[in-house]
């Protein structure tokens, strides 16, 4: 956020902070959320690259389309184990997983 915009909001009485501040996340919790979003993004990217629908991925993983959608959304009910198993099930290597974890690009807010 631009400094001028932040100053204008604060002058109007708004509190300005980060998502971590708002949710009162510890640095460790924030890192886990970030990691989960990176893996979710990697799953969506791999599925798209392979030209597969969520339904086709669900069939491969013996799951449901709605569960795949939850995985790609990084929903809280989805475990890290499930995300990693889905990526590996779509052919991801350990190098691919490391690349997904290393990437600095995070999804943009809708």
């Amino acid at each position: 956020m631009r400094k001028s915009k932040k100053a204008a909001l604060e002058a109007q009485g708004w509190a300005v902070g980060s998502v971590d501040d708002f949710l009162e996340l510890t640095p460790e919790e924030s890192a886990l959320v970030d990691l989960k979003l990176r893996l979710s993004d990697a799953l969506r990217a791999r599925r798209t690259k392979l030209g597969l629908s969520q339904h086709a991925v669900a069939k491969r993983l013996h799951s449901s389309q709605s569960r795949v959608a939850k995985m790609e959304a990084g929903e809280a009910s989805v475990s890290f184990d499930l995300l990693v198993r889905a990526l590996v099930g779509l052919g991801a290597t350990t190098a691919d997983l490391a690349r997904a974890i290393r990437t600095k690009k995070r999804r943009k807010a809708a």
Side-chain angles (χ1 to χ4, degrees):
M1 176 182 302
R2 292 186 324 256
K3 288 182 181 183
S4 60
K5 184 174 184 176
K6 181 179 177 185
L9 288 171
E10 289 174 334
Q12 294 176 8
W14 290 93
V16 180
S18 69
V19 172
D20 293 347
D21 294 335
F22 180 75
L23 296 175
E24 298 179 352
L25 297 178
T26 66
E28 295 81 10
E29 291 168 329
S30 181
L32 286 175
V33 169
D34 183 59
L35 178 58
K36 191 173 208 178
L37 290 176
R38 290 175 192 215
L39 291 173
S40 295
D41 289 344
L43 178 60
R44 179 182 296 109
R46 179 163 288 277
R47 175 183 63 78
T48 303
K49 182 178 178 183
L50 294 172
L52 298 172
S53 66
Q54 289 180 343
H55 180 75
V57 171
K59 194 171 182 179
R60 281 191 187 190
L61 301 175
H62 306 288
S63 188
S64 66
Q65 177 276 324
S66 62
R67 193 70 179 148
V68 173
K70 289 177 182 181
M71 286 186 251
E72 290 184 0
E75 192 169 293
S77 66
V78 176
S79 68
F80 283 95
D81 177 61
L82 184 57
L83 286 168
V84 172
R85 286 187 329 170
L87 283 161
V88 170
L90 293 180
T93 64
T94 53
D96 294 328
L97 294 173
R99 197 170 14 265
I101 291 169
R102 261 194 329 264
T103 188
K104 294 290 182 190
K105 184 179 178 185
R106 286 184 68 177
R107 68 178 69 188
K108 295 182 180 180

